[in-house]
Amino acid sequence: DAKHLVPNKMRDFFCTINLDQEEVFRTQVVEKSLSPYFGEEFYFEIPRTFQWLSFYIYDKSVLQKDLRIGKVSIRKEDLCNYTGKENWFMLQPVDSNSEVQGKVHLELKLNELITDNGSVCQQLVVHIKECHGLPLINGQNCDPYATVSLVGPSRNDQKKTKVKKKTSNPQFNETFYFEVTRSSSYTKKSQFQVEEEDIEKLEVRVDLWNNGNLVQDVFLGEIKVPVKVLRNDSFQAWYLLQPRENGNKSSKTDDLGSLRLNICYTEDCVLPSEYYTSLRNLLLKSSDVQPISASAAYILSEVCRDKYDAVLPLVRLLLHHHKLVPFVAAVAELDLKDTQEANTIFRGNSLATRCVDEMMKIVGKHYLKVTLKPVIDEICESPKPCEIDPIKLREGDNVETNMENLRYYVDKVFREIVRSSISCPTLMCDVFYSLRHLAAKRFPNDPHVQYSAVSSFVFLRFFAVAVVSPHTFHLRPHHPDAQTSRTLTLISKAIQTWGSLTKTKLSSFKETFMCEFFKTFQEEKFTESVKKFLDDVSSTESKEPSGVSEPVHLKEGEMYKRAQGRTRIGKKNFKKRWFCLTSREFTYHKQQDKEPIFTIPIKNILAVEKLDENSFNKKNMFQVLHGEKPLYIQANNCVEASEWIEALCRVTRCNQRRLSFYHPSAFLNGNWLCCKATIESTEGCARCTADVPADTQIEIDGDRETERIYSLFTINRSKLQKLEEACGSIAVYQGPRKEPDDYSNFTIEDSVATFHTLQQIIDIIEKLNESHEKYQKKRSSSAKYGSEENPIVGKVS
């Protein structure tokens, strides 16, 4: 959210998230506010290098261009200082001189020249080769050119390259010559040297601009290189473009308002898979360790300050290797030992409950979409007033009408849920089956506990949470407005009550108006339906219907596609279309909710790959190869392009006819731009990036998750040592602990087994530390400062 925004009058605001100058996400517009609450979450993999993560606040305009009010920009290197906590940031003014992105490749050289009269002068040679990653201007590739200047106390010689049209990666390959003025006392020397006093204050400045044609040119960035670095030989390097030194400086930096952000940024260096064998094996055998509290996975959750940090990579790793169900059963059994009353079963935030929560988020995404998305869309797009709290009723509201509206929605949600068991993922059913039987074993005299053990998850922690926060579960693109959020909250309260399955349901409501509302339901009928649903989702029988399952909706959104046929004037153009991907087909439509114009069955897709920018001078392009000509698509930003490629690859990787080779560029004017082959049916010249079949449902990088767990162990090394000391103390002193101590918060059932596992963990971590150090040394020696992978930042000294 933001507060105290300017101008000091009620306006409509929205916020964007940018990687450098590329917008990757945009919030919905919050109308008529000075302190807008956005309440939106965005999670994304970063598919390219970047310098800044920026957040821009815009004033929405109907007739004119949206006005940028201010920004928050955080350097990549500083993100770790803000991760995992909320921070208020003062908005800074948006200055075009500070909005830069990209890098430039230069070669500089000083030549010695002898003039006709025998005197010696020096000539500076500047070869500007190319630029990469220049920003889009108004959503389109820019028309860049560069000015090259030799600047000193008494000179400013400037030269200019040609304008390159519609490209973010211009190839200039132009050379400029500058005479370096010498002092009158300079005499010819046998060995060329540059005098200190002449060269000290000279510098080469390269400025990148977008040619504005009829409007003002736009500054894209600059670099400065002191000429004194060229004393020995030619100097060639890549440089990151920098803002102007006077950019973003203003006397009004404290009156634009502020923005509250919660950023979580992680960056992992993933080694080859064989380095993680020992740690991976130790974690995967956790469910076999007796007691479970002595396992590596359980110890990880014990030493992490926030259990969620441990749960996310742990669940993903165990899922990837099909070891999650036995581990959840083992930690749930430990949980139940400390549960004294059946009605409090699985209500806390233990390792078991968090693991099940995370599992449901990962494997239940499609289940939520096919079950709830249609009714959530109806509630959000055609909202009816549903407020039944007398205190919150507005003037003119009719509580009876609102109650009928709410009942209509609740009935619809209930029907969708209780008949959705056939769509419940098998993995969720297996986990629920284990929990149900463990609960019945722990409380054999309570007939309801087998149901409440499952309902506490599937209703309270899954459906109820998804209904109240549909944007978090990708059921809606944005956070709902206030009225819709209130309706969803009331529906969520009803879902939570179905999950309680108690005979005194009405007493579970703190608000009297909810008691009155719930009286209108036929409780016995609802209870029987809930029980049948819970029986179905906690059964180990296969739920998959044979052959006629409904297609699962995977992704949709607006992008641009290149015309498949020719236009009347013979030119192929790009058109905005609505794309939809399901488990069965990939389609595009003229508009959302319209009939598809073009359909590609998933089984017919042969490859999905990036497309070189030089094909059409457009960024963020990819190609879908199928039986006919390639479908060329342009996404709106790099994150969106990466997500679409990943989604399409995931759902098509098991296709039997997948290609192993493809063409990275397009077939234009009678030849492939990549390999110059003149026959369109020529086999591809580059190997496909994803030609190995994989799990189409859950895409998990096991090595990356293991690396994350290694990082957590490394961060919490001191706690591992404390736990090790605690095990040693318990082994020596066999009696009960009489006073609280440093390790009283740890669960230690078997000190000898726990100590043994800790020694294994510490030994593995030390070996991985050595491997990382070797890799970093190798990387630093191979990626020379000034190379394309490691460009120079700022001035060269």
Side-chain angles (χ1 to χ4, degrees), residues 206-260:
V206 178
D207 294 80
L208 269 294
W209 299 85
N210 177 59
N211 182 37
N213 293 322
L214 300 177
V215 296
Q216 186 176 0
D217 292 353
V218 177
F219 175 75
L220 300 178
E222 70 175 13
I223 63 160
K224 295 179 180 179
V225 184
V227 178
K228 65 182 179 181
V229 302
L230 310 175
R231 295 176 182 177
N232 298 320
D233 201 355
S234 64
F235 189 85
Q236 182 177 179
W238 284 86
Y239 300 82
L240 284 175
L241 291 171
Q242 299 298 308
R244 279 183 173 162
E245 290 188 350
N246 64 343
N248 209 24
K249 291 185 179 178
S250 171
S251 59
K252 296 183 178 181
T253 59
D254 58 349
D255 57 356
L256 297 175
S258 53
L259 183 65
R260 182 168 59 165

Side-chain angles (χ1 to χ4, degrees), residues 149-153 155-157 201-205:
S149 308
L150 181 63
V151 182
R155 66 184 295 177
N156 187 356
D157 300 338
K201 295 182 180 179
L202 287 177
E203 65 180 10
V204 177
R205 192 179 76 203

Side-chain angles (χ1 to χ4, degrees), residues 363 367 370-371 420-429 432 458 462 533 536-538 543-544:
V363 305
Y367 179 33
V370 298
T371 305
S420 71
S421 60
I422 199 168
S423 302
C424 186
T426 304
L427 188 69
M428 285 177 64
C429 295
F432 294 153
V458 74
F462 187 58
F533 168 73
D536 289 342
V537 297
S538 57
K543 301 295 185 304
E544 296 296 329

Side-chain angles (χ1 to χ4, degrees), residues 321-522:
H321 293 279
H322 311 291
K323 294 285 188 180
L324 183 65
V325 177
F327 179 75
V328 167
V331 292
E333 190 170 13
L334 180 62
D335 219 15
L336 287 169
K337 285 182 182 178
D338 297 327
T339 305
Q340 302 303 320
E341 297 182 16
N343 60 359
T344 62
I345 194 168
F346 299 132
R347 293 297 172 94
N349 281 324
S350 64
L351 177 60
T353 58
R354 290 195 176 212
C355 282
V356 178
D357 285 351
E358 197 56 44
M359 177 275 297
M360 292 190 297
K361 285 181 185 176
I362 295 171
V363 305
K365 276 194 241 178
H366 303 326
Y367 179 33
L368 280 176
K369 282 186 177 180
V370 298
T371 305
L372 290 182
K373 194 173 190 310
V375 65
I376 295 292
D377 285 344
E378 180 185 343
I379 294 168
C380 294
E381 292 167 10
S382 305
K384 298 177 181 178
C386 295
E387 184 56 71
I388 57 175
D389 184 352
I391 300 174
K392 295 184 178 180
L393 285 173
R394 297 186 222 172
E395 189 176 346
D397 280 354
N398 186 306
V399 70
E400 285 79 14
T401 302
N402 289 5
M403 192 172 287
E404 283 302 312
N405 292 340
L406 181 59
R407 180 175 178 180
Y408 166 77
Y409 285 145
V410 169
D411 271 339
K412 196 159 189 177
V413 169
F414 180 81
R415 285 197 307 272
E416 293 298 330
I417 290 175
V418 295
R419 68 184 185 191
S420 71
S421 60
I422 199 168
S423 302
C424 186
T426 304
L427 188 69
M428 285 177 64
C429 295
D430 290 344
V431 169
F432 294 153
Y433 175 83
S434 295
L435 297 176
R436 176 176 182 163
H437 283 268
L438 286 169
K441 181 181 175 183
R442 175 69 178 84
F443 298 100
N445 299 322
D446 190 324
H448 292 288
V449 74
Q450 60 177 324
Y451 294 111
S452 57
V454 179
S455 66
S456 61
F457 287 106
V458 74
F459 283 116
L460 274 65
R461 293 172 176 266
F462 187 58
F463 285 123
V465 179
V467 165
V468 83
S469 302
H471 57 295
T472 306
F473 290 83
H474 307 290
L475 299 176
R476 294 292 298 171
H478 296 292
H479 184 77
D481 60 49
Q483 180 181 321
T484 307
S485 289
R486 176 61 179 164
T487 299
L488 294 173
T489 300
L490 293 172
I491 296 170
S492 181
K493 285 176 181 288
I495 294 174
Q496 292 174 44
T497 306
W498 304 332
S500 67
L501 274 179
T502 58
K503 295 179 180 179
T504 55
K505 283 183 182 176
L506 300 181
S507 64
S508 65
F509 288 116
K510 296 176 182 177
E511 305 96 336
T512 55
F513 63 87
M514 285 301 291
C515 292
E516 292 300 317
F517 170 71
F518 213 75
K519 283 179 183 177
T520 62
F521 288 89
Q522 300 173 10

